[in-house]
Amino acid sequence: MTTTTAPPLRSRVLLVLTAVLALLLPTAPGALATSRAPSPHGAEVVAVTQVADRQVDLSVRSTALGGRTVKVRLLTPDGWNPHRRQHWPTLWLLHGCCGDYTSWTAMTDVAETPALRDVLVVMPEAGWNGWYSDWWNHGQGGDPAWETFHTVELRHLLEHDWGAGTDRVVAGLSMGGQGALLYAARHPGMFKATAAYSGSAHPLLNTESIDRIMGFFAGQGNDPLRVWGDPVAQRGIWEAHDPYHLAKRLRSIPVYLSCGDGTTGPLDTPGATSALEADFNRQNQTLAGQLRRVGARHLTTNFYGPGTHGWPYWERELHASLPMLLGALEVDD
């Protein structure tokens, strides 16, 4: 006679909740019951909400962020089901300073773009001014560690439970443009291509650039030295987060750089100007020159002249760069 033992209560609960999630995913927007076993990489999904057609928000509790829970928005491909053993090519879209994980869907037509119906688009929270970095915190490290959260914790969660494949590209705007360049450079092989729209591409360019980014670091009352330290005393940390100083690590993958010059452009209100865009334009021009010097094989630039620091340009540039990004994923645009 064979005796069987009932699985532990936690296992039975997880099985039931997984079945419920599978039934609820195609339904109208609303909260979805879910529970996932804690990841060995330090993060777990604690809630799932379907907010619109093909848009699912994950609430992720992160060890790298001190146990805090933050959101990640997924724009899912046609036929996506996280419980099938199917993995999709992935586009990471990074938001800028003062934005959040909802920025791309709120401010652009990304959710209606036909070319993105065959890829999983990942739009993670990165903090109001997190700078896609593990903060120095005066040598103590610790929370926030946005880079670790994204490139280790979140990556493993998505690939284990949410249908993300290992073919990835990354793009972002402003602070997120810097993040896209940093992640591609600092994690060789993780991303097959990168695109930066009005990105902070060389924060060590000059005193104006340093002072400007230090001002961003100080946002919401933060100590600006917490992020990368002092630009003189901790210059090595600054260089390790400056795409210009990482150019050699980008030379083997497709790179797309775009920026306006800060003067009134065709998508601006009359008389609008942007000193920030003018600064970033100089930074991007300098990075492009350095990429050419180190032998970048697939560099595309669109320094389009008149144009300020705004969403109409970033939406346009996303569309302009999609053939390159999707080509690296071998997806037809």
Side-chain angles (χ1 to χ4, degrees):
M1 178 178 180
T2 302
T3 301
T4 59
T5 303
L9 177 60
R10 174 177 172 82
S11 297
R12 283 180 279 151
V13 170
L14 286 175
L15 288 172
V16 171
L17 288 177
T18 299
V20 171
L21 176 60
L23 291 172
L24 287 176
L25 273 173
T27 65
L32 306 182
T34 183
S35 178
R36 298 279 178 166
S39 167
H41 301 284
E44 61 179 326
V45 175
V46 297
V48 182
T49 305
Q50 186 164 350
V51 296
D53 180 43
R54 297 176 53 233
Q55 294 182 48
V56 176
D57 285 357
L58 308 181
S59 298
V60 182
R61 183 183 296 127
S62 164
T63 299
L65 301 178
R68 290 183 289 125
T69 297
V70 297
K71 297 288 189 71
V72 178
R73 177 158 293 180
L74 303 181
L75 178 63
T76 63
D78 291 337
W80 176 83
N81 184 326
H83 303 290
R84 295 176 184 161
R85 305 302 292 178
Q86 183 174 5
H87 293 85
W88 298 84
T90 304
L91 164 63
W92 290 57
L93 274 182
L94 309 184
H95 69 76
C97 177
C98 320
D100 63 19
Y101 70 100
T102 69
S103 294
W104 277 102
T105 52
M107 302 301 295
T108 76
D109 63 355
V110 63
E112 290 77 45
T113 301
L116 295 177
R117 299 190 75 95
D118 294 320
V119 299
L120 178 65
V121 182
V122 177
M123 294 163 281
E125 179 59 53
W128 190 85
N129 60 344
W131 293 95
Y132 297 91
S133 301
D134 291 356
W135 286 22
W136 180 62
N137 284 326
H138 298 280
Q140 300 302 307
D143 181 32
W146 290 107
E147 183 176 6
T148 295
F149 169 59
H150 293 143
T151 63
V152 178
E153 293 181 346
L154 180 59
R155 176 169 65 89
H156 284 287
L157 280 178
L158 295 174
E159 292 172 7
H160 188 266
D161 289 324
W162 301 97
T166 56
D167 290 332
R168 317 172 200 89
V169 293
V170 61
L173 67 100
S174 195
M175 176 183 81
Q178 178 172 318
L181 295 169
L182 288 180
Y183 284 1
R186 288 170 58 86
H187 301 272
M190 182 171 175
F191 294 103
K192 291 190 168 185
T194 184
Y197 320 122
S198 303
S200 174
H202 185 14
L204 282 169
L205 175 64
N206 54 34
T207 301
E208 177 188 352
S209 300
I210 292 171
D211 289 346
R212 179 167 280 111
I213 200 169
M214 288 289 278
F216 281 116
F217 287 172
Q220 294 187 317
N222 286 323
D223 172 1
L225 298 183
R226 286 184 60 201
V227 185
W228 300 335
D230 181 87
V232 176
Q234 281 76 46
R235 186 175 177 89
I237 297 174
W238 277 72
E239 289 184 353
H241 293 88
D242 185 325
Y244 174 88
H245 290 280
L246 303 175
K248 287 184 178 180
R249 300 188 185 185
L250 294 169
R251 61 186 172 184
S252 63
I253 65 171
V255 176
Y256 184 97
L257 301 176
S258 68
C259 202
D261 64 12
T263 62
T264 308
L267 304 181
D268 293 308
T269 57
T273 61
S274 173
L276 173 62
E277 189 76 358
D279 178 22
F280 284 179
N281 184 60
R282 292 187 290 272
Q283 293 186 30
N284 276 273
Q285 298 265 11
T286 306
L287 173 59
Q290 180 67 356
L291 285 168
R292 294 187 185 100
R293 282 190 291 274
V294 299
R297 300 174 189 170
H298 308 287
L299 173 63
T300 302
T301 62
N302 185 20
F303 301 133
Y304 43 85
T308 61
H309 204 68
W311 279 103
Y313 297 101
W314 303 328
E315 179 180 75
R316 185 187 71 184
E317 292 306 303
L318 171 64
H319 285 281
S321 62
L322 276 180
M324 181 209 79
L325 293 167
L326 298 181
L329 293 174
E330 300 183 353
V331 174
D332 294 331
D333 63 346

